Amino acid sequence: MYIYIWFLIITIIIAVATCAVIFKRRNIKGAKAMLSLMGAVTFWSATYICEILSNSAGAKIFWYSTEYFAIATVPFFWLFFALQYADFDKIIINKKINLFLIVPIITIILVWTNKYHNLMIGDILNTIGTQIPVVIKSNGTWFWVNMIYSYLLIGAGSVILVFSGFKLPSLYIKQRIVLIIAISFPVIGSILYIFKLNPIAPFDLTPVVCLLSGVLLTYSLFKLKIFQLAPIARDFIFNTINDGVLVFDNGGKIIDANQSLQTAIGFQISEVIGQDIGEFLNHRNINIDLNLNQSPPGKNKVPANLIEKNKEEVILELFISANQKSHPEKHFFSLRNVPIKKNDNILLGHMIIFHDVTESRIYEQSLSGSKKKIEDLNKISHELSMCDKEEQVYSKTAFAIEQITDFSLCSFFINDDGNIKNKFNSHPIIEKLTGNEVFPNKIIYNFFENGKPILLEISNLAEVSPEFQARFPEISSILGIPISDIGIVLLFNGKNLLQNDENIRLCILLLEHTAESLKRVWLQETLKEQALRDPLTGVYNRRYFNQLVEKEIERSKRYGYLIMLIMTDVNRFKEINDKFGHQVGDKVLQGVGKVLESQIRKFDTVIRYGGDEFLIVLPEINGKNTDNFIIRIREAISYWNKETRLVDFDIGLSIGFSYWDPALNESIDKTLYYADMKMYEDKNKNRK
């Protein structure tokens, strides 16, 4: 049976190697739970080897009990991983997941106190005098309770992965299938051992078959890239935008498409995953310049006859049936190819955006004498799709309203959690008008809540005072048009102009494009902000500091002011983690971050520099009152200590600071070094 021990050793090696790979990607959702799972498997195999090699019954029972630290928690870690990987975070965030640890904790306690109750091990039957002595044990009542509970957790985790995978492309489904197969091997081995069907009895087959699980997990890490392609926020990003999106990799293979595109063109995602992009486009007579000249050598490219160069956009005409019985209707889409690149400018693939411009095309054909306006509307809709700033969207829309409809004055209002806020005015006179008490907010809220275009004459509005009419005589009517479900635009002009139905229809159509562009810009800004924020504390991260300091140095050189860098470190933080746990340590870091942000000016910045270190960047400093500022920080931390009482001793900060002087022109790294050294001097003083 020594060969069996070698299998266990191989299992440990593979598990440790898998853990090492996962550790490098530990910040990806689900990675830490899988790391805990593989760590438990490693511990189980190692302690089982110790049990086998022990010569006395007492030693074997000791190692058998030690194994339960892993045996009892492996199912919990599997469920934890499934919930994280499948984006079911509510249970984890609300800490309800901890309830599932109750039975494993009871099991571990019972196995170590078994001699008093025999609930885990009924009797030690006999010892077989084999090449390696083995103690045969009968199973107590709680053993079966724990076994059933463990299988329920493993089954629940597997079901979560299966059902959450139904709505995802085949690549994600393959990930989950591989994971479920990997976990099934230890389950089968455990069943064979418990019910005495084990072909290598009396040894437990379970740790050995973990070798197969390790191979599968290694395959999933390198081949399926399990922690690189996790569908984080996929539903939100894909399904809150009305534009169709088709994604293909560098080799020209389709890897994803959102529901809007599937509905618009009429196909199922399962039909096109892995299909060549050229074949997909050619089959539907779609011509677009995919600009694939950056693809690596040897990769598939779209056939040359599919490429049509157009500096502005490509308009696609398709006949689409709502269902099998209905006649096909003509639809128009504006197509745009967007390269997908990593931060280091490496091309990963492409994304084709299908923007439905059917209504604008229909208006173009139906509105007599409006050809120029429709051309402008098509052009502005494409320009809006290229905007990457919120201000640009408002500005271009306001300009388009004036060009297309002759409305020279407009004001944009956006719903911000129930508050209707003025975001943009096309002319200073509008800012004075909407911000004046003679024009009540009630009118704006009424426009928004109605949800439909409304044309009102100023003379008929009881809410508007005579003072308003006297100060703004050129405003005779107000037209309010919803911007989808996100806000409203108010148009101000003469009565005859506002009653033009054609102008109203054009504005409605234009604002639909405006709403889509705003949603896209907000989403992009949110994702950029998340990339520059520390997810634990909410303060900016080190990546943001690298961007910030370059700008501040340029301004410092231009205006000749100092930049102050304050480096802080939480005292006794390792002791906090060791004594009170990492959750308390996380709360300490979150609290310190909030306290520091509460003490700085609007244009100062708090950075989580690393671990328990925070960096404060203070531009436009004259070098005075530094000591008072540091005293204020210490007092704020002291007050926060008394309010929260997270630990049983006062949490303090070690603080060091230095100035970057444009006159000296030293590197910012040297200034950071000086601040760091002073912080460590302060830390040494605090230890005395």
Side-chain angles (χ1 to χ4, degrees), residues 297-444:
K299 295 291 185 181
N300 296 329
K301 294 186 178 181
V302 176
N305 64 337
L306 290 179
I307 297 179
E308 175 184 314
K309 293 187 176 180
N310 190 312
K311 293 183 179 179
E312 294 186 352
E313 60 178 339
V314 174
I315 299 297
L316 169 67
E317 179 179 320
L318 292 177
F319 288 88
I320 301 172
S321 299
N323 52 60
Q324 294 181 348
K325 297 182 180 180
S326 62
H327 293 288
E329 297 181 355
K330 184 182 293 186
H331 286 257
F332 297 90
F333 296 90
S334 168
L335 271 62
R336 186 161 61 96
N337 175 38
V338 180
I340 303 173
K341 298 181 179 181
K342 294 174 65 176
N343 292 334
D344 49 6
N345 213 32
I346 296 178
L347 185 67
L348 299 178
H350 295 261
M351 177 171 62
I352 301 179
I353 299 176
F354 291 70
H355 182 57
D356 193 337
V357 294
T358 303
E359 290 189 41
S360 63
R361 287 285 168 154
I362 292 175
Y363 278 129
E364 181 181 7
Q365 298 169 359
S366 62
L367 296 175
S368 59
S370 299
K371 183 177 180 180
K372 177 63 170 60
K373 292 183 178 181
I374 297 299
E375 289 176 351
D376 291 341
L377 182 60
N378 287 333
K379 182 178 180 180
I380 193 62
S381 67
H382 178 67
E383 290 178 359
L384 287 173
S385 69
M386 304 293 289
C387 292
D388 56 3
K389 300 292 184 183
E390 185 175 357
E391 187 77 10
Q392 290 179 341
V393 177
Y394 296 131
S395 178
K396 287 185 178 293
T397 302
F399 178 78
I401 287 176
E402 184 175 355
Q403 294 297 312
I404 296 174
T405 67
D406 297 324
F407 295 156
S408 58
L409 302 175
C410 63
S411 184
F412 291 82
F413 295 85
I414 299 299
N415 181 18
D416 185 5
D417 291 332
N419 295 319
I420 309 300
K421 295 183 178 180
N422 183 215
K423 291 290 188 176
F424 182 85
N425 299 294
S426 62
H427 194 277
I429 191 174
I430 298 298
E431 186 173 352
K432 295 179 181 179
L433 186 156
T434 56
N436 196 295
E437 60 183 14
V438 299
F439 188 82
N441 288 333
K442 182 179 179 181
I443 296 178
I444 300 173

Side-chain angles (χ1 to χ4, degrees), residues 545 549 553 563 565 660 665-673:
F545 169 73
V549 75
I553 287 176
I563 302 175
L565 300 180
W660 187 86
N665 200 26
E666 292 181 334
S667 69
I668 197 70
D669 289 336
K670 184 173 288 187
T671 307
L672 280 169
Y673 173 77

Side-chain angles (χ1 to χ4, degrees), residues 190-204:
S190 178
I191 292 174
L192 292 175
Y193 176 71
I194 292 171
F195 293 101
K196 300 180 180 180
L197 301 174
N198 190 356
I200 60 171
F203 297 104
D204 189 354

Side-chain angles (χ1 to χ4, degrees), residues 280-312:
F280 175 86
L281 298 177
N282 191 30
H283 180 68
R284 293 163 177 81
N285 297 318
I286 300 175
N287 297 324
I288 181 174
D289 181 3
L290 294 177
N291 195 23
L292 294 183
N293 58 319
Q294 302 178 60
S295 299
K299 295 291 185 181
N300 296 329
K301 294 186 178 181
V302 176
N305 64 337
L306 290 179
I307 297 179
E308 175 184 314
K309 293 187 176 180
N310 190 312
K311 293 183 179 179
E312 294 186 352

